[in-house]
């Protein structure tokens, strides 16, 4: 099997000729949604008569849920409800990318539509002005699903020289990373940084700070853009929490959390109170921090490779081997944020954000209590 896909070798100059053609005032809108796996993204495009000015200008649509593992063929229509609009970095203005919620035939949320529940929690706690930052790790793969530029049937040098590295012998796939970064900025994603990670061919980008539901909306669309950029280059991006077994780092989605009280003078007290609450619901959080109830994270959260053991809850200042890390600067300033290092790279950010806010801010409020 070739290292890159055959489609990536098509004539891109010829393609650009068609992309440069005028659209006659019409607008292409690409609808994006989460499929029945809870991890995969799907999309399809329609024409609007003019450029939408807001999400209210984009109509609901539908799709065949039996082909995305979201319904049976005998009653397969699912609703797409637009919730966030972004500029399209692939076919450019005036065209749009639109993130959608999925509803079933009876307009109840689809099983993998966790946005509605998350948004309810965010609305109930909006006076706390909860800020999130999510650190999305991923690994670049060749078409044979082996890490890009790793020796076939072998391994590169051990970990050490790759984190935040420079140089062709240490950095694999920077073109994709830089194109993804620029595409996210063009789209309006709140991307705030990127870096090469510990395992060769592994990278990270950060989304935030975002208030409430926005962090998950922006992260999902940033993931979509990453997959599309990789498609153009003929590679794959995987969010598998442990893409290579053995003495190699896994991939997480470290989640930074801060409330208004935590950011103010003396906020460390509120950070410590939140960590105490989290310590009592460790297993509940583990069950929603990957799409398979913690089974994916078992391969990553071993107590090695900058992780805590999945069975234990721990916290500490500047400790990357803890479940919850308090950054050293936060400890010195006495205010700021904490980092939950448990979420897997393939987590649903809606589930992660909702679980954290429920535990830290809504504990004991029965009207919003549901099982994770």
């Amino acid at each position: 099997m070739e290292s890159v896909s055959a489609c990536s070798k098509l004539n891109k100059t010829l393609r650009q000729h068609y992309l440069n053609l005028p659209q006659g005032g019409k607008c292409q809108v690409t609808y994006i949604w989460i499929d029945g796996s809870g991890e995969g993204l799907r999309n399809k495009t329609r024409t609007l008569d003019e450029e939408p000015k807001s999400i209210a200008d984009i109509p609901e649509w539908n799709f065949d849920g039996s082909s995305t593992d979201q319904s049976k063929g005998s009653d397969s229509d699912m609703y797409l409800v637009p919730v966030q609009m972004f500029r399209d970095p692939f076919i450019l203005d005036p065209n749009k990318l639109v993130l959608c919620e999925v509803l079933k035939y009876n307009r109840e949320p689809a099983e993998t539509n966790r946005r509605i529940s998350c948004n309810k929690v965010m609305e109930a706690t909006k006076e706390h002005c909860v800020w999130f930052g999510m650190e999305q790790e991923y690994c670049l793969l060749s078409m044979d699903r082996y890490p890009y530029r790793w020796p076939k049937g072998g391994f590169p040098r051990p970990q050490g020289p790759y984190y935040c590295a420079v140089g062709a012998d240490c950095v694999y796939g920077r073109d994709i990373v830089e194109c993804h970064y620029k595409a996210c900025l063009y789209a309006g994603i709140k991307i705030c940084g990127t870096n090469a990670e510990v395992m060769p061919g592994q990278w990270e980008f950060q989304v935030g700070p975002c208030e409430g539901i926005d962090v998950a909306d922006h992260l999902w669309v940033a993931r979509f853009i990453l997959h599309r950029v990789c498609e153009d280059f003929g590679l794959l991006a995987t969010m598998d929490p442990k893409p290579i077994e053995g003495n190699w780092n896994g991939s997480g989605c470290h989640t930074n959390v801060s409330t208004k009280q935590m950011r103010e003078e003396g906020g460390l007290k509120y950070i410590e109170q939140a960590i105490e609450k989290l310590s009592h619901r460790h297993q509940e959080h583990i069950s929603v921090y990957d799409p398979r109830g913690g089974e994916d994270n078992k391969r990553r959260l071993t107590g090695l490779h900058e992780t805590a053991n999945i069975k234990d809850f721990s916290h500490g200042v500047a400790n990357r081997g803890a479940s919850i890390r308090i950054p050293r600067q936060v400890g010195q300033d006495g205010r700021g944020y904490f980092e939950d290092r448990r979420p897997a790279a393939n987590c649903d950010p809606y589930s992660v954000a909702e679980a954290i806010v429920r535990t830290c801010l809504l504990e004991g409020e029965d009207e919003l209590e549901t099982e994770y």
Side-chain angles (χ1 to χ4, degrees):
M1 180 181 288
E2 291 186 289
S3 294
V4 299
S5 69
C7 289
S8 68
K9 299 178 181 180
L10 294 176
N11 190 322
K12 302 303 181 183
T13 301
L14 181 61
R15 174 178 180 265
Q16 194 59 44
H17 164 75
Y18 294 101
L19 291 181
N20 289 338
L21 294 175
Q23 298 182 187
K26 305 289 187 180
C27 179
Q28 292 175 257
V29 177
T30 297
Y31 289 60
I32 302 165
W33 70 96
I34 302 162
D35 69 15
S37 70
E39 297 179 78
L41 288 160
R42 308 292 180 113
N43 68 103
K44 64 177 187 172
T45 304
R46 72 185 297 177
T47 303
L48 299 186
D49 288 335
E50 58 185 8
E51 180 181 359
K53 300 299 186 290
S54 72
I55 200 72
D57 297 328
I58 301 174
E60 289 187 12
W61 206 8
N62 57 70
F63 69 96
D64 171 19
S66 67
S67 297
T68 61
D69 197 27
Q70 290 174 290
S71 69
K72 296 179 179 179
S74 58
D75 195 0
S76 65
D77 282 357
M78 310 284 285
Y79 294 103
L80 290 171
V81 181
V83 292
Q84 283 263 24
M85 180 173 71
F86 301 88
R87 297 168 72 193
D88 190 325
F90 303 104
I91 53 177
L92 308 184
D93 291 335
N95 306 302
K96 306 297 181 187
L97 302 178
V98 176
L99 180 66
C100 300
E101 289 183 357
V102 178
L103 302 182
K104 296 187 285 190
Y105 70 95
N106 56 4
R107 300 194 68 84
E108 290 294 313
E111 282 70 15
T112 54
N113 177 2
R114 300 186 175 93
R115 186 182 188 276
I116 289 178
S117 177
C118 180
N119 200 35
K120 182 180 178 182
V121 168
M122 296 306 163
E123 285 297 311
T125 57
K126 60 184 178 183
E127 73 275 11
H128 292 279
C129 301
V130 186
W131 292 0
F132 293 96
M134 302 191 87
E135 305 170 18
Q136 177 68 69
E137 293 178 335
Y138 63 95
C139 185
L140 294 174
L141 306 179
S142 300
M143 289 302 294
D144 59 5
R145 305 198 71 84
Y146 199 62
Y148 176 59
R149 281 197 56 203
W150 281 34
K152 297 305 178 187
F155 299 95
R157 291 177 294 163
Q159 294 182 157
Y162 307 106
Y163 174 70
C164 295
V166 64
D169 59 338
C170 295
V171 175
Y172 305 165
R174 193 187 295 274
D175 284 349
I176 287 175
V177 174
E178 292 184 341
C179 291
H180 172 251
Y181 201 151
K182 282 294 188 80
C184 284
L185 290 173
Y186 180 92
I189 300 293
K190 292 182 180 178
I191 186 171
C192 61
T194 189
N195 59 270
E197 267 301 334
V198 177
M199 188 177 81
Q202 183 186 45
W203 293 85
E204 172 184 301
F205 65 89
Q206 301 95 33
V207 170
C210 298
E211 188 167 336
I213 199 76
D214 278 355
V215 71
D217 288 346
H218 284 241
L219 183 58
W220 271 115
V221 178
R223 288 174 173 177
F224 174 83
I225 292 172
L226 175 63
H227 290 306
R228 279 285 283 104
V229 170
C230 285
E231 186 180 316
D232 284 343
F233 281 91
L235 297 180
L236 305 171
T238 180
M239 278 78 176
D240 188 283
K242 188 71 174 177
I244 298 295
E245 294 300 321
N247 196 26
W248 304 98
N249 273 36
S251 296
C253 189
H254 305 150
T255 301
N256 302 284
V257 185
S258 174
T259 66
K260 183 179 179 182
Q261 287 179 317
M262 293 176 189
R263 296 188 292 272
E264 293 174 345
E265 196 70 33
L268 185 58
K269 175 180 70 174
Y270 298 100
I271 293 172
E272 291 170 343
Q273 288 175 0
I275 293 172
E276 176 64 21
K277 291 178 180 179
L278 289 166
S279 72
H280 297 300
R281 307 205 71 165
H282 177 62
Q283 290 306 320
E284 290 94 332
H285 281 252
I286 289 296
S287 71
V288 298
Y289 278 7
D290 72 50
R292 275 164 279 278
E295 290 302 311
D296 283 346
N297 244 342
K298 278 183 181 179
R299 296 181 285 118
R300 167 180 162 260
L301 297 181
T302 61
L304 303 173
H305 307 110
E306 301 181 40
T307 71
N309 190 285
I310 195 169
K311 297 178 181 178
D312 304 318
F313 182 89
S314 58
H315 69 279
V317 174
N319 185 357
R320 283 179 164 77
S323 308
I324 306 291
R325 180 179 73 96
I326 299 175
R328 189 172 302 282
Q329 191 65 47
V330 172
Q332 292 173 355
D333 294 344
R335 61 180 177 178
Y337 67 97
F338 67 87
E339 177 191 45
D340 191 337
R341 297 179 59 80
R342 297 170 295 173
N346 63 345
C347 70
D348 185 333
Y350 296 122
S351 296
V352 172
E354 178 182 348
I356 291 171
V357 171
R358 279 187 181 277
T359 295
C360 296
L361 299 176
L362 287 176
E363 194 174 48
E365 298 193 20
D366 293 338
E367 69 275 10
L368 280 168
E369 281 292 328
T370 60
E371 293 186 2
Y372 292 128

